[in-house]
Amino acid sequence: LMRFLRVAMAQINPTVGDIDGNTALIKAWIKEARRAKADLVAFPELAITGYPPEDLLFKARFVDDAQRALKALAADAHGLVVVVGYVGRDGTGDSLSKVATTPAVGRHGLYNSAAVLAERRIVANYCKRHLPNYGVFDESRYFHPGTRLPLLILNGTTIGINICEDIWFPEGPTRAQAAAGAEVIVNINASPFHVGKSRMREQVLATRARENRVIVTYTNTVGGQDELVFDGCSVIVDQTGEVVARGKAFAQDLLVADLDVAAVGRARQGEGRKKPLSPRVAALVDRVEVRVPTRKTSSTVMPPLEMPLERLDEAYRALVLGVQDYVLKNGFRRVVIGLSGGVDSALTAVIAVDALGADNVLGVFMPSPYTSRTSREDVADLARRLRIQVDTLSITTTFKSYLRVLSKPFAGSRPDTTEENLQARIRGNLLMAYSNKFGHLVLTTGNKSEMSVGYATLYGDMAGGFAVIKDVPKTMVYELSHLRNLVGPEPVIPKRVLERPPTAELRPDQKDEDSLPPYAILDPILKAYVEEDRALEDIVAMGFARETVVRVMAMVDRSEYKRRQAPLGIKITHRAFGKDRRMPITNGYR
């Protein structure tokens, strides 16, 4: 017997806090799903508010507005079932769960919820049970965990609904819902990107689908939100653990698929009886029956199966989307970048052009007495290749006037990094003047290796609004530059920029390696210490010289105060500076 369920997964790009805009977006995609004759359309976790709404959730009016938006969406739910993420509250939420924990927030218990809308009303509600509270996640600060397990019976197919983290646990809601008869699990998500994350996700989903003999539909959000980027990559995994559909990466998408629900029953028959639900869990299951019009056509929809991206490709796409959404969602149009002739500012400019178009990217070249002719030529070459405007402002006279003003207090002192930092701060001042005068957003150009060890000037090259490659190690800066140079009629980053030894050009014949270990040694030490929290002995055992490791660790620890004052930037590694890593500045532990 054939039994199909046509599911649509709307991988949308909401904006945090823009409840009206998000609601209009959801309505537009409901219309698309209806046109595709879907029985059910799923939207991402907290789609109405955007994710993560953070302390907006402490504003009672914000929650009221989100609840009103849900009611407006319910009126649109006819002819199909809509599953949408929103903020639930005691009364609309999971009435039993308010006794489960101490209050997470003020006057009301709030829930990270999925509403099931059909027949122009809210027919069921699921509240997320596993609230992540690690890395960038803070859900226990805002939400109560849910307890109920609603099952939707749609035209005879039993569907379990759960949210994001819930599906990561073998003993989680998926197991209980499958044991209670669910043939399909609709899981909605706002799962932030880091390199390699989508492959890891798919392995977990395959395991969950296989061990419970269920079809899993995994709808993820897409877009940039402050330092987070959501990659989409929504998937459907069948009851054998095979990925049968995969949505686009880093773009909005509607994935439509006919799920062969009868195959789930056949797979289960061959396995004998599963252990029945315990009476305690069975008491938490709520069954809700809904019918939608059945389709006349017998043809089935074959869903798309996008190819997964390679490591560098996905990192690059994340950086482009992160810049695009941060700039546009915050009401900017143009960005300004200090171009030095080095690889970091070149890559930042290329990403900005890919995100915003060449007309919206302004370069400023600010030569000092130590700037080489090579740098001047390389900046001009880059500008020609990218077709961007570059203004040249010499800082030599300004630098000399600063030295003159300081000549008395500095009398008898030898020149040192103070004079180097003055040049960086003059440049920071000029870029911020462009920002003030024209409303451009200043993009800073420091990479993760520099930010880790403090090889950056506070209020100098760190001055700006958004740090594009803040989470990209220097070795990866080169990899991404080479990757991007393979696209298009000619390489965008001049060959010489990629071959020159890195230099700040703040004193004669300066090289980064005068102050730092070579990046090929520095980056693996930083990964071990910053991202993996490894101890000194462990890192030395990896084959690095003890004195080098001790020196690098001390530089990282000493630079916390700088990072705390740096602009936010896009997270692409599994542990970035910012929400991921919260170290005390005043810190006597070594």
Side-chain angles (χ1 to χ4, degrees):
L1 189 71
M2 305 292 275
R3 185 156 56 93
F4 286 102
L5 178 75
R6 183 167 293 179
V7 168
M9 297 155 72
Q11 178 177 293
I12 62 168
N13 184 345
T15 298
V16 166
D18 182 9
I19 291 171
D20 291 345
N22 297 341
T23 305
L25 186 65
I26 293 165
K27 283 185 171 182
W29 287 81
I30 290 174
K31 203 174 277 179
E32 288 300 311
R34 197 179 284 118
R35 197 172 290 147
K37 297 188 165 50
D39 301 313
L40 178 148
V41 58
F43 288 89
E45 176 179 14
L46 292 177
I48 290 174
T49 57
Y51 187 94
E54 300 188 281
D55 284 8
L56 286 172
L57 293 167
F58 291 142
K59 297 179 185 292
R61 187 171 157 202
F62 177 75
V63 179
D64 289 344
D65 289 344
Q67 302 247 311
R68 267 199 296 277
L70 179 70
K71 291 194 176 82
L73 283 175
D76 241 37
H78 53 89
L80 81 174
V81 171
V82 178
V83 177
V84 65
Y86 80 108
V87 182
R89 187 190 261 157
D90 278 344
T92 61
D94 181 328
S95 53
L96 290 188
S97 44
K98 62 172 174 276
V99 298
T101 56
T102 54
V105 65
R107 294 158 303 179
H108 295 285
L110 297 183
Y111 303 90
N112 181 341
S113 302
V116 181
L117 312 177
E119 298 157 356
R120 301 187 194 272
R121 60 193 179 91
I122 303 164
V123 297
N125 190 69
Y126 172 85
C127 298
K128 189 173 181 176
R129 298 176 67 141
H130 293 278
L131 301 174
N133 222 54
Y134 53 84
V136 300
F137 301 106
D138 245 342
E139 292 199 17
S140 298
R141 177 176 168 87
Y142 307 106
F143 299 121
H144 291 293
T147 53
R148 309 296 300 173
L149 292 165
L151 286 181
L152 172 70
I153 295 128
L154 174 57
N155 290 3
T157 295
T158 306
I159 300 166
I161 287 140
N162 54 45
I163 302 175
C164 206
E165 191 84 358
D166 289 333
I167 206 151
W168 288 78
F169 292 87
E171 300 294 332
T174 301
R175 172 163 291 186
Q177 288 166 326
E183 300 156 295
V184 176
I185 297 292
V186 171
N187 176 265
I188 63 169
N189 299 267
S191 177
F193 167 82
H194 64 72
V195 170
K197 175 95 169 268
S198 60
R199 283 179 282 290
M200 199 166 75
R201 267 189 223 131
E202 288 188 8
Q203 284 165 355
V204 171
L205 297 172
T207 306
R208 218 52 76 242
R210 212 169 28 239
E211 67 196 10
N212 294 294
R213 289 290 181 233
V214 286
I215 299 170
V216 174
T217 75
Y218 180 98
T219 307
N220 194 20
T221 199
V222 74
Q225 170 57 26
D226 296 348
E227 67 263 54
L228 300 179
V229 175
F230 299 91
D231 55 325
C233 296
S234 300
V235 288
I236 298 174
V237 184
D238 74 10
Q239 66 283 352
T240 67
E242 190 184 338
V243 175
V244 292
R246 186 184 293 112
K248 292 190 172 86
F250 304 104
Q252 297 196 108
D253 200 5
L254 186 73
L255 219 66
V256 182
D258 283 330
L259 308 182
D260 182 1
V261 185
V264 174
R266 290 195 295 274
R268 287 178 178 177
Q269 271 169 354
E271 290 196 332
R273 288 190 64 79
K274 276 248 193 298
K275 207 167 66 193
L277 278 180
S278 72
R280 189 183 61 81
V281 176
L284 298 173
V285 175
D286 307 308
R287 286 184 167 78
V288 180
E289 285 220 34
V290 173
R291 296 209 70 80
V292 296
T294 49
R295 287 181 307 280
K296 302 290 178 283
T297 155
S298 59
S299 63
T300 57
V301 171
M302 288 303 291
L305 188 61
E306 296 275 337
M307 287 301 290
L309 298 177
E310 294 300 319
R311 177 183 80 101
L312 291 173
D313 213 6
E314 63 178 4
Y316 191 84
R317 296 269 297 275
L319 292 166
V320 170
L321 181 58
V323 169
Q324 189 176 61
D325 275 5
Y326 188 81
V327 171
L328 301 179
K329 288 180 179 181
N330 283 297
F332 293 95
R333 281 198 306 277
R334 296 192 82 198
V335 296
V336 59
I337 302 168
L339 297 177
S340 66
V343 68
D344 294 329
S345 63
L347 180 64
T348 303
V350 172
I351 291 166
V353 168
D354 284 348
L356 306 164
D359 289 347
N360 294 317
V361 179
L362 172 66
V364 183
F365 176 54
M366 296 166 281
S368 80
Y370 308 111
T371 303
S372 65
R373 205 173 103 191
T374 305
S375 295
R376 191 180 292 272
E377 290 167 0
D378 289 348
V379 166
D381 191 11
L382 177 77
R384 179 190 64 76
R385 290 163 189 257
L386 287 178
R387 298 190 169 86
I388 60 172
Q389 178 190 334
V390 174
D391 291 356
T392 299
L393 310 175
S394 171
I395 65 164
T396 301
T397 48
T398 315
F399 179 45
K400 284 179 177 164
S401 71
Y402 271 47
L403 294 178
R404 220 172 19 255
V405 171
L406 292 164
S407 59
K408 206 168 174 183
F410 284 7
S413 304
R414 297 167 61 87
D416 57 15
T417 52
T418 308
E419 286 75 11
E420 296 179 27
N421 290 342
L422 276 176
Q423 296 165 70
R425 291 192 175 116
I426 291 165
R427 290 175 173 139
N429 249 326
L430 295 175
L431 290 172
M432 290 311 298
Y434 270 85
S435 180
N436 279 164
K437 186 62 76 181
F438 305 115
H440 303 344
L441 179 71
V442 178
L443 299 183
T444 65
T445 61
N447 61 61
K448 189 173 192 172
S449 310
E450 294 170 347
M451 298 310 296
S452 299
V453 295
Y455 192 65
T457 304
L458 203 51
Y459 324 121
D461 54 329
M462 289 172 68
F466 197 59
V468 178
I469 57 171
K470 179 184 186 175
D471 198 33
V472 183
K474 184 76 169 194
T475 45
M476 194 184 201
V477 168
Y478 283 104
E479 291 180 301
L480 291 173
S481 300
H482 286 295
L483 173 87
R484 181 59 183 80
N485 269 357
L486 299 173
V487 180
E490 69 162 349
V492 279
I493 298 175
K495 187 163 177 257
R496 188 164 62 181
V497 171
L498 296 171
E499 289 172 353
R500 280 174 76 189
T503 169
E505 290 195 322
L506 297 171
R507 63 171 187 267
D509 300 321
Q510 184 180 23
K511 303 279 182 290
D512 287 8
E513 286 183 14
D514 302 341
S515 313
L516 302 174
Y519 287 111
I521 291 169
L522 178 62
D523 281 355
I525 295 174
L526 291 173
K527 185 173 197 285
Y529 185 51
V530 173
E531 293 180 28
E532 296 164 3
D533 275 322
R534 294 198 191 207
L536 170 65
E537 302 306 329
D538 297 343
I539 303 174
V540 172
M542 291 164 66
F544 299 105
R546 174 178 286 271
E547 60 273 21
T548 305
V549 179
V550 168
R551 185 171 144 236
V552 169
M553 288 169 80
M555 289 165 93
V556 172
D557 294 347
R558 258 201 321 268
S559 304
E560 188 58 39
Y561 77 99
K562 283 190 182 180
R563 287 189 292 272
R564 197 70 66 87
Q565 299 177 70
L568 80 170
I570 301 160
K571 169 185 162 70
I572 63 158
T573 66
H574 92 101
R575 197 164 190 220
F577 292 118
K579 288 183 184 181
D580 265 340
R581 188 178 184 275
R582 308 176 197 188
M583 287 292 175
I585 295 171
T586 306
N587 174 10
Y589 185 76
R590 291 289 174 263

